[in-house]
Amino acid sequence: LCCFQLYGYCYQDSNDIPDTLTTITELGSPLEMIQLLQTSWEDRFRICLSLVRLLHYLAHSPLGSVTLLDFRPRQFVIVDGELKVTDLDDASVEESSCTRNSDCFMEFPARNFTLPCSVEGRCQSMNEKRNLYNAYRFFFTYLLPHSAPSSLRPLLDKIVNATGNHNKHGNAKYLALELSPSPSVNSEFTQKCMKSANTHKLNSFYRRVPEAYIPDENYRCWPSYHHKGCLLSVFDVNEAIEICDSYSQCKAFVLTNQTTWTGRQLVFFKMASNHIVPDPDKITYVKVTD
């Protein structure tokens, strides 16, 4: 689930290239951080959620706690919207030996940490802590806070601080419990997280037109699921009204029957409503002006 799926392999021993092993794996997209920052927060959250699951697996694998010594974005790919690790050549299950706490020193470009030395003479949770801090500095600090729903920011701040400072919550089990208590992405928890705080109420300022669609009148917004228009996900109609009110050019919006991976509804936002056509799968809301 967290690593590349192996479909098959072929071992060949020839005179030209001895001990050759060819593997066949699933196809993934290279991880481009600049492109990720331009995607919706919901998609970035999904990537971080899959990374949390990977961290939890590595910390409790059948081989013991595994650390990725070369933990960088280029070692990962995206498969169906989720993050997977592709290169395990630099993985290690050896926890560093020690005789005193000073032997358990971890050095990073921005800061350093010293972990406790256990009575067994091993640095406590060093593999897990190394993975967590690398996830913080390469992924969480960029992908989680930016444009996150206001209702979710306290939790995200706690997660970023836990992984960046190695406080009492800085472990993979805590992150897995906080971000994914249910294996279903449509759980009540996930829907609550995705719902942004808003105080707008559906009222007479928007006229509801059932089974209708506005084919044109597009404008661009960021982030959008459509490169030529403004297509965003919402929790409910109230959130769609809040978004439309926040754009001066928005004069109407169209609820589609399409949803994202969390069950949020996709909505087209329009800058006019001069041309409305019948569509049984959509509902249009037009802003009423004086």
Side-chain angles (χ1 to χ4, degrees):
L1 183 63
C2 300
C3 303
F4 242 19
Q5 182 175 349
L6 179 66
Y7 290 127
Y9 63 91
C10 177
Y11 176 77
Q12 181 180 5
D13 189 4
S14 64
N15 294 329
D16 297 331
I17 307 177
D19 300 329
T20 301
L21 179 65
T22 303
T23 60
I24 304 171
T25 63
E26 63 183 324
L27 183 64
S29 302
L31 191 67
E32 299 291 343
M33 192 60 66
I34 298 299
Q35 294 181 2
L36 285 183
L37 292 173
Q38 296 174 348
T39 62
S40 69
W41 183 87
E42 195 174 356
D43 288 342
R44 284 183 271 127
F45 175 80
R46 185 181 186 184
I47 290 173
C48 290
L49 181 59
S50 59
L51 178 56
V52 165
R53 291 169 178 161
L54 170 62
L55 294 174
H56 185 265
Y57 177 80
L58 292 176
H60 304 89
S61 81
L63 299 176
S65 182
V66 180
T67 187
L68 301 179
L69 299 176
D70 191 13
F71 196 117
R72 286 181 287 180
R74 69 181 185 183
Q75 306 287 49
F76 299 86
V77 295
I78 298 177
V79 180
D80 295 330
E82 297 195 0
L83 196 70
K84 294 192 177 185
V85 63
T86 63
D87 190 353
L88 295 174
D89 291 346
D90 295 310
S92 174
V93 296
E94 294 293 330
E95 294 278 18
S96 299
S97 59
C98 60
T99 56
R100 60 184 68 87
N101 289 349
S102 59
D103 295 333
C104 302
F105 181 74
M106 290 197 303
E107 185 175 5
F108 295 96
R111 62 180 307 175
N112 305 321
F113 300 95
T114 300
L115 300 178
C117 179
S118 69
V119 294
E120 294 83 10
R122 296 290 178 180
C123 296
Q124 291 185 13
S125 304
M126 177 169 277
N127 287 346
E128 180 181 7
K129 296 293 187 180
R130 182 182 288 112
N131 288 339
L132 284 168
Y133 188 76
N134 280 325
Y136 157 80
R137 69 191 187 106
F138 286 119
F139 292 96
F140 296 152
T141 190
Y142 297 109
L143 302 182
L144 278 179
H146 181 58
S147 69
S150 57
S151 61
L152 196 55
R153 284 171 187 162
L155 173 62
L156 298 179
D157 290 341
K158 185 189 297 186
I159 290 171
V160 172
N161 289 333
T163 54
N165 299 321
H166 282 337
N167 62 26
K168 63 180 181 179
H169 298 305
N171 60 74
K173 183 178 180 180
Y174 165 80
L175 297 182
L177 289 174
E178 285 293 316
L179 285 183
S180 53
S182 168
S184 171
V185 297
N186 293 318
S187 66
E188 180 181 353
F189 174 87
T190 305
Q191 292 188 25
K192 177 182 176 182
C193 288
M194 294 305 173
K195 181 179 180 180
S196 65
N198 67 80
T199 58
H200 284 75
K201 303 297 181 182
L202 188 60
N203 53 43
S204 59
F205 292 104
Y206 283 84
R207 177 170 56 91
R208 184 177 184 271
V209 185
E211 298 185 356
Y213 176 62
I214 304 173
D216 302 312
E217 309 296 349
N218 292 312
Y219 67 90
R220 294 183 179 180
C221 67
W222 183 90
S224 173
Y225 287 91
H226 194 283
H227 68 282
K228 291 185 178 180
C230 187
L231 179 63
L232 304 174
S233 69
V234 302
F235 182 82
D236 55 18
V237 175
N238 286 337
E239 187 175 355
I241 291 175
E242 180 184 9
I243 293 174
C244 191
D245 285 349
S246 68
Y247 288 97
S248 59
Q249 63 266 54
C250 183
K251 305 302 179 184
F253 59 88
V254 180
L255 271 63
T256 73
N257 61 353
Q258 297 176 296
T259 59
T260 65
W261 67 280
T262 59
R264 282 168 61 91
Q265 194 168 10
L266 289 177
V267 176
F268 274 107
F269 294 88
K270 304 288 185 173
M271 60 183 179
S273 57
N274 299 324
H275 181 48
I276 299 179
V277 299
D279 191 321
D281 297 325
K282 296 179 177 63
I283 302 174
T284 292
Y285 288 83
V286 179
K287 183 181 292 188
V288 178
T289 58
D290 295 335

